[in-house]
């Protein structure tokens, strides 16, 4: 009994200490006190369970505590953890992971640099295109998001989030996603163009009218390189292993992260060997990282990739998308955007979106926001979400929307 009281006391101060000792990213964090998570559910310290329709913002591709990933992590821990900075020692999990991933990619994309996060992968990719071309100009898209470190922020297309941190890196220009007239901004001064295969923070906007292909063709015409950011769409979320495969284009550089690690922190950038090898000389150590390719993380990545590609999870994302679209019909939903299990329900305004998200959390369903589009309700569940769980979650969304509609009449 005494032990039980101690646990209760610990949980009572958990949120208080979270707010006191951890730096916050917003004035009002949700502050759920997490006890454990399994499959498609997260449990709080009162043992209330929440169906997870966010998957750690697309990071937990196989849900929580996936047995194949957990086993891989535990097995590697019994062998060795960090032994040397990236790029010096041959370590089996990282080598096997890169070898498998390259075998699943177009032949032009045949070398991988493993890092610790998506934003670090973006930094490396930006450096790489400057190193390859000898040029400085970078072009991104309005409302783009590629991370929050200084280089990544420099190619973020949302001035409100950037202004206070200026000056950022110079010689960056912006085009509008799906606006072909803007492609004339890509010139012989351009080192690289960076695009998301599906714009995430902007509202899960897909390329139309072969836009990605036309960007690549323009890059080839002027000697620039195309970087495609697959941090959110990648690893099966859109019905292909990578989002760009839906749009008939092969990038020069691919940025990866989030879903690649089965919930573990990781990122990477992929390019052709002749380009990637330039980071090793003139100057040597052109890009370095201590923990990139960490053997425990790489073991989790390998298990995750094997599970995604050896099962029908990728094909099932399109079946599950169809079910979401069939179920989520409501007067407050103006449209469903996205592809596969990278979806948003668009409402009329941000106030409706906020009310629905908060009501759903109270009812045991986790939804979330997008960075720049206030009307969007994020729906990015684990790829392992079941049909029954989709029906359960959609029923909660519709119930919450009915309440919002009644209260606002």
């Amino acid at each position: 009994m005494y032990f039980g009281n101690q646990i209760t006391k610990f949980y009572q101060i958990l949120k208080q200490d979270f707010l006191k000792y951890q730096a916050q990213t917003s004035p009002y964090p949700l502050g759920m006190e997490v006890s454990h998570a399994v499959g498609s559910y997260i449990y709080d310290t009162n043992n209330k369970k929440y169906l997870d329709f966010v998957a750690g913002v697309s990071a937990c591709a196989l849900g929580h505590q996936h047995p194949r990933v957990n086993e891989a992590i535990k097995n590697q821990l019994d062998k060795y953890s960090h032994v040397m900075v990236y790029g010096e020692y041959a370590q089996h999990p990282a080598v096997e992971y890169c070898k498998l991933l390259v075998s699943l990619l177009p032949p032009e994309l045949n070398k991988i640099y493993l890092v610790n996060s998506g934003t670090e992968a973006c930094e490396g990719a930006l450096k790489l295109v400057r190193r390859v071309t000898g040029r400085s100009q970078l072009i991104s898209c309005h409302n783009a998001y590629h991370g929050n470190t200084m280089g990544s922020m420099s190619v973020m297309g949302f001035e409100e989030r950037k202004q206070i941190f200026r000056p950022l890196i110079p010689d960056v220009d912006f085009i509008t996603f799906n606006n072909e007239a803007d492609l004339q901004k890509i010139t012989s001064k351009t080192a690289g163009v960076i695009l998301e295969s599906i714009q995430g923070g902007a509202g899960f906007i897909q390329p139309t009218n072969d836009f990605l292909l036309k960007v690549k063709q323009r890059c080839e015409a002027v000697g620039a390189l195309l970087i495609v950011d697959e941090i959110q769409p990648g690893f099966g979320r859109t019905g292909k292993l990578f989002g760009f495969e839906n749009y008939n284009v092969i990038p020069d550089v691919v940025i990866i992260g989030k879903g690649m690690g089965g919930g573990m922190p990781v990122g990477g950038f992929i390019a052709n060997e002749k380009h990637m090898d330039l980071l090793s000389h003139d100057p040597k150590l052109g890009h370095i990282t201590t923990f990139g390719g960490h053997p425990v993380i790489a073991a989790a990545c390998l298990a995750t990739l094997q599970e995604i590609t050896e099962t029908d999870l990728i094909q099932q994302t399109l079946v599950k998308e169809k079910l979401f679209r069939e179920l989520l019909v409501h007067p407050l939903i103006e449209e469903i955007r996205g592809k596969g299990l990278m979806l948003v329900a668009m409402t009329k305004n941000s106030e409706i979106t906020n009310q629905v998200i908060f009501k759903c959390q109270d009812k045991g369903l986790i939804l979330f926001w997008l960075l720049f589009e206030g009307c969007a309700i994020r729906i990015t569940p684990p790829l392992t979400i079941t049909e029954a769980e989709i029906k359960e979650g959609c029923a909660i969304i519709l119930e919450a929307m009915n309440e919002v509609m009644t209260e606002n009449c």
Side-chain angles (χ1 to χ4, degrees), residues 5 16 25 40 51 63 118 127 145 173 181 194 208 211 258 265 278 284 305 319 349 357 390:
N5 289 339
Q16 174 184 324
T25 57
S40 299
L51 179 58
K127 290 167 65 178
Y145 181 77
D173 200 358
I194 181 168
T208 57
F211 181 70
K258 286 192 183 293
L278 293 174
K284 63 182 180 180
L305 184 58
V319 177
N349 58 58
I357 290 173
I390 292 172

Side-chain angles (χ1 to χ4, degrees), residues 8-285:
T8 300
K9 183 178 179 181
F10 168 78
Y11 284 144
Q12 285 173 344
I13 65 172
L14 179 60
K15 183 175 180 180
Q16 174 184 324
D17 286 351
F18 163 66
L19 295 171
K20 183 175 181 180
Y21 297 111
Q22 276 192 254
Q24 305 301 308
T25 57
S26 70
Y28 306 107
L30 293 172
M32 181 195 295
E33 297 166 274
V34 178
S35 167
H36 59 287
V38 181
S40 299
Y41 293 89
I42 299 174
Y43 295 77
D44 69 14
T45 52
N46 295 314
N47 208 37
K48 178 179 177 179
K49 73 175 185 177
Y50 299 81
L51 179 58
D52 185 2
F53 268 18
V54 178
V57 188
S58 304
C60 302
L62 300 179
H64 304 283
Q65 304 296 323
H66 191 280
R68 187 168 187 172
V69 177
N70 277 11
E71 182 181 9
I73 291 169
K74 293 171 183 175
N75 288 343
Q76 184 57 41
L77 279 171
D78 287 337
K79 296 174 183 175
Y80 58 91
S81 185
H82 177 71
V83 291
M84 178 53 73
V85 296
Y86 180 78
E88 293 295 331
Y89 290 176
Q91 300 175 60
H92 184 266
V95 171
E96 287 301 304
Y97 176 70
C98 291
K99 183 178 178 181
L100 175 58
L101 184 51
V102 163
S103 75
L104 300 167
L105 288 164
E108 298 93 329
L109 297 165
N110 53 24
K111 205 154 204 179
I112 303 171
Y113 198 121
L114 296 173
V115 293
N116 305 286
S117 66
T119 192
E120 187 185 338
C122 177
E123 299 283 342
L126 296 178
K127 290 167 65 178
L128 179 62
V129 298
R130 284 183 163 184
R131 175 67 179 86
V132 171
T133 64
R135 304 171 182 176
S136 63
Q137 187 191 50
L138 301 168
I139 292 180
S140 183
C141 278
H142 298 294
N143 294 326
Y145 181 77
H146 301 287
N148 225 38
T149 48
M150 295 299 277
S152 301
M153 183 177 287
S154 300
V155 293
M156 180 198 299
F158 199 77
E159 186 61 26
E160 179 184 327
R161 301 282 179 91
K162 296 162 59 172
Q163 184 58 46
I164 194 67
F165 301 107
R166 288 191 178 279
L168 300 172
I169 66 170
D171 209 1
V172 178
D173 200 358
F174 292 87
I175 61 176
T176 299
F177 200 75
N178 285 329
N179 185 336
E180 294 180 30
D182 276 2
L183 300 188
Q184 296 307 308
K185 291 185 176 182
I186 305 169
T187 71
S188 58
K189 296 180 180 179
T190 305
V193 179
I194 181 168
L195 304 171
E196 300 155 270
S197 60
I198 297 177
Q199 274 204 303
F204 288 12
I205 299 170
Q206 295 190 66
T208 57
N209 196 28
D210 289 327
F211 181 70
L212 291 187
L213 179 60
K214 290 172 182 175
V215 174
K216 176 64 184 294
Q217 291 170 340
R218 178 63 181 172
C219 285
E220 289 176 338
V222 301
L225 300 182
L226 173 61
I227 305 168
V228 171
D229 182 339
E230 290 285 348
I231 294 171
Q232 282 202 75
F235 295 93
R237 190 157 286 280
T238 68
K240 299 283 187 181
L241 185 59
F242 292 106
F244 70 80
E245 296 177 271
N246 293 297
Y247 307 112
N248 194 33
V249 65
I250 299 175
D252 297 294
V253 187
V254 176
I255 302 172
I256 53 177
K258 286 192 183 293
M260 70 185 282
M264 301 296 277
V266 68
F269 56 105
I270 312 168
N272 187 268
E273 179 181 14
K274 68 178 181 181
H275 290 163
M276 197 72 87
D277 286 351
L278 293 174
L279 294 177
S280 69
H281 60 88
D282 301 323
K284 63 182 180 180
L285 306 178

Side-chain angles (χ1 to χ4, degrees), residues 81 163 219 239 306 314 321 334 384 397:
S81 185
Q163 184 58 46
C219 285
Q306 288 169 334
I314 294 179
E321 174 193 354
E334 300 207 324
T384 50
I397 293 172

Side-chain angles (χ1 to χ4, degrees), residues 359-375:
K359 280 183 178 292
C360 283
Q361 176 153 319
D362 289 341
K363 296 174 184 293
L365 175 68
I366 297 172
L367 301 169
F368 210 59
W369 297 266
L370 296 187
L371 283 172
F372 311 138
E373 175 51 83
C375 297

